[in-house]
Amino acid sequence: MAKTVTLLLALVGTPLFIVISALALLSYHGVGIDPSVVIIEMTRLADTPLLISLPLFIFAGTLLSESGTPTRILKLSHLFLGWLPGGLAVMSLSVCAVFTAFTGASGVTIVALGGILLPALIKDGYSDRFSLGLITSSGSLGLLFPPSLALILYGVVAEVRIDHLFLAGVIPGFLMLLMLSSYAVKSGAQAARPRKTELSDISSILRETMWEIPLPFIIIIGIYGGFLVAGEAAAVTALYVIVVEVFIYRDVSLRQLPDIMGRSMVLFGGILIILAASMASTNYFIDQQIPSKLFDIIKTYIDSKYTFLILLNVFLLIVGAFLDIFSALVLIVPLILPIAAGYDINPIHLGIIFLTNLQIGYCTPPVGLNLFLASYRFERPILQLYRASLPFLGLLLITLALITYFPWLSLALIDWLG
Amino acid sequence: MNTKRQHWSAQLKSASARIETLEQYLVTLILTLIILLATLQIGLRWSGFGGIPWIDPLLKYCVLWGGFFGAVLATARSQHISLDAVDYLIPEKIKPGLKLITLCFSTVVAAFLFRAALLFLQSEMEFGGSSLFGFPFWIWYLVFPLAFGMICIHFTISALLVLLDKEVEAGKQSFSGTR
């Protein structure tokens, strides 16, 4: 009874960590275990490797989104992609991907970049529907590229190597980008003329962005060159972003830093406390052998790994449309991981499937978060956004099928470089 | 009566804002410390000094303290991650009442978590060993009762504010209605 009331309260906006903690407290109380066990489980967080990279990357992402970086990345992408037919659309996709990789799929991309990109696309001759669909579906594109917070959080929860996850996301991420870009080029060829860039523009844009261009390379070369582990790369990124944005570009003043740091820690705290609460509830589930019981039930109906993967995709798409990515990861991964292991699915491959589904779930009607954000940001009816995002959704689903059934796409780079 | 409620509401809001400012300073300080210590450690390692042994364990505790006080600040700002899947189905009229129920529930759960943290700390004081800088473990784990205690206080303040503001609002409406 108490558990049912708790679950009902979850639906009407009770903070998720309160709901999970309440369930954990009730469950332990039900089997006569002291409630302090809930806190003992939470102390395990201190020993979670690479947890430190979360606040640092969140802070770097928040600071970047507050600075002039979005506008400068746009100019830079225009330089490289402006010559393509459909160049502006491809550029929008690429910029959104890079931006989401750094800031996480918290809706910042649509809010920060959508306002600049949507009018630009429409002015360039793209249809209203195409432009809206593109911005809505690219709001969470880039979730598979390093240093995406979602990848790090999956690594923390599933206890797999984060540098391997970073590698695993690269080919699937590019595949998604390629699919959407091809569609954009095809539509763009009819809609918009490629633009020419003057030589003087090239040097001025390169000069303007010279401090931001090295950022992805610091992370990639730092980690894969063996100079830094992921947590250290996060610290170097945070310090670099402070120096560049506060002291070199001066987009953000020193006075604004405490507020930005406060907002970053609010997001980190929100994730950490759900993680803490779920450690307590997950341990209860494992003690009660719930994942293995679930596996036994599923196994009686589903023999094939591939049928399981189809059902997993459907389940995760629904989860992605209802839950935000961080709570979905923390709540569902511990349950799914042992079941997937029973079907011999590699945990890294599972992570990429998981995140691809959650990313698509963000723009899946009826309640995908990106649809609501875009509806709010661009003041359009939600039904118009459902229609606009359908072709993009279709392409993303094809990519999902490829990523799910060809594990090679996720594992090749690890075999090669890892 | 209505003026009295308005007065209490203003007092609570100002107290809450002051606590929030302190919490913001604390998390800013911790994040700054994390960035500085982590980069100092890398700098020392790269320059051949091998790093300082206490930095890594201290960073672990800083992340824990920073994260939990970030969560306290999230409570103060009502910015916790929650499901609002059926939010658009709920009539506006019953939303304040529902909010009050969820806030009261959250206060009770946070109070139970606070109690669990105290029980944990008690057993750590009795049986726990010593940790970084020779301090006993329970000192580092003080963050749990402190954070859950503050979370409980913030939920209580928010619940009281919903109650006071709702009645002030209702008072205003009945006043304008009778006029």
Side-chain angles (χ1 to χ4, degrees), chain B residues 82-173:
Chain B
S82 56
L83 307 178
D84 41 15
V86 293
D87 189 61
Y88 61 102
L89 295 175
I90 301 170
E92 285 298 321
K93 217 175 155 185
I94 65 163
K95 273 187 182 171
L98 217 48
K99 193 173 177 197
L100 190 62
I101 294 172
T102 59
L103 283 170
C104 290
F105 176 72
S106 304
T107 309
V108 172
V109 176
F112 273 107
L113 285 170
F114 174 65
R115 182 177 162 266
L118 285 182
L119 288 173
F120 163 73
L121 217 63
Q122 205 177 9
S123 82
E124 275 296 312
M125 281 174 175
E126 279 177 42
F127 308 109
S130 61
S131 172
L132 186 61
F133 303 135
F135 291 146
F137 269 112
W138 68 265
I139 296 271
W140 298 104
Y141 290 141
L142 259 177
V143 65
F144 292 105
L146 283 177
F148 287 126
M150 289 311 296
I151 286 174
C152 190
I153 289 171
H154 281 302
F155 277 132
T156 312
I157 292 177
S158 303
L160 284 173
L161 280 175
V162 170
L163 206 63
L164 287 170
D165 289 350
K166 200 179 128 198
E167 291 190 15
V168 168
E169 203 54 41
K172 271 185 199 162
Q173 276 169 13

Side-chain angles (χ1 to χ4, degrees), chain B residues 1 8 17-18 24 32 50 66 81 92 96 98 104 116-117 127 134 142 176:
Chain B
M1 194 66 177
W8 279 112
R18 260 176 282 163
Q24 158 128 354
T32 311
I81 298 171
E92 285 298 321
L98 217 48
C104 290
F127 308 109
L142 259 177
S176 61

Side-chain angles (χ1 to χ4, degrees), chain A residues 106-338:
Chain A
S106 50
V108 170
T109 307
I110 290 182
V111 176
L113 288 171
I116 311 169
L117 290 174
L118 186 73
L121 283 164
I122 293 172
K123 196 176 152 203
D124 238 37
Y126 294 92
S127 72
D128 197 45
R129 190 162 156 176
F130 173 85
S131 312
L132 273 175
L134 183 127
I135 300 293
T136 309
S137 48
S138 56
S140 49
L141 198 66
L143 214 65
L144 298 179
F145 292 126
S148 142
L149 292 180
L151 279 175
I152 299 173
L153 193 58
Y154 178 85
V156 168
V157 177
E159 294 174 11
V160 292
R161 279 176 61 176
I162 290 171
D163 55 335
H164 278 181
L165 277 169
F166 281 176
L167 280 177
V170 171
I171 297 178
F174 272 112
L175 185 67
M176 226 176 263
L177 203 55
L178 192 73
M179 285 281 229
L180 295 184
S181 298
S182 313
Y183 176 59
V185 168
K186 190 174 160 286
S187 312
Q190 297 150 8
R193 292 188 315 272
R195 287 184 183 176
K196 280 182 188 164
T197 312
E198 300 295 329
L199 207 65
S200 59
D201 288 347
I202 298 178
S203 79
S204 102
I205 292 170
L206 282 178
R207 231 177 310 125
E208 211 180 321
T209 49
M210 64 182 281
W211 292 103
E212 271 145 354
I213 295 173
L215 199 51
F217 299 103
I218 290 175
I219 298 168
I220 293 164
I221 296 173
I223 294 176
Y224 300 104
F227 303 106
L228 302 164
V229 294
E232 293 172 336
V236 172
T237 305
L239 190 67
Y240 183 84
V241 172
I242 292 180
V243 172
V244 168
E245 304 301 339
V246 178
F247 298 107
I248 297 178
Y249 289 122
R250 297 177 188 218
D251 286 339
V252 175
S253 69
L254 261 180
R255 275 167 182 268
Q256 287 171 282
L257 265 190
D259 179 53
I260 295 173
M261 285 183 156
R263 272 187 284 141
S264 316
M265 292 305 271
V266 162
L267 178 58
F268 172 58
I271 297 171
L272 184 93
I273 202 157
I274 294 183
L275 197 60
S278 81
M279 279 193 147
S281 63
T282 305
N283 198 43
Y284 174 79
F285 287 149
I286 292 167
D287 268 0
Q288 302 297 309
Q289 296 179 325
I290 289 172
S292 58
K293 282 176 191 163
L294 267 176
F295 176 66
D296 289 340
I297 296 169
I298 296 172
K299 192 80 185 170
T300 51
Y301 297 103
I302 303 163
D303 269 340
S304 146
K305 169 181 172 177
Y306 294 100
T307 320
F308 170 74
L309 282 172
I310 293 177
L311 289 176
L312 181 68
N313 279 335
V314 174
F315 170 69
L316 290 178
L317 280 174
I318 297 170
V319 167
F322 282 93
L323 276 182
D324 85 283
I325 211 149
F326 301 123
S327 18
L329 277 170
V330 171
L331 289 177
I332 313 285
V333 169
L335 282 178
I336 297 284
L337 206 63

Side-chain angles (χ1 to χ4, degrees), chain A residues 75-97:
Chain A
K75 283 187 190 166
L76 184 70
S77 317
H78 186 257
L79 186 70
F80 287 112
L81 301 164
W83 56 273
L84 262 177
L88 185 64
V90 176
M91 183 188 98
S92 307
L93 289 167
S94 316
V95 171
C96 286

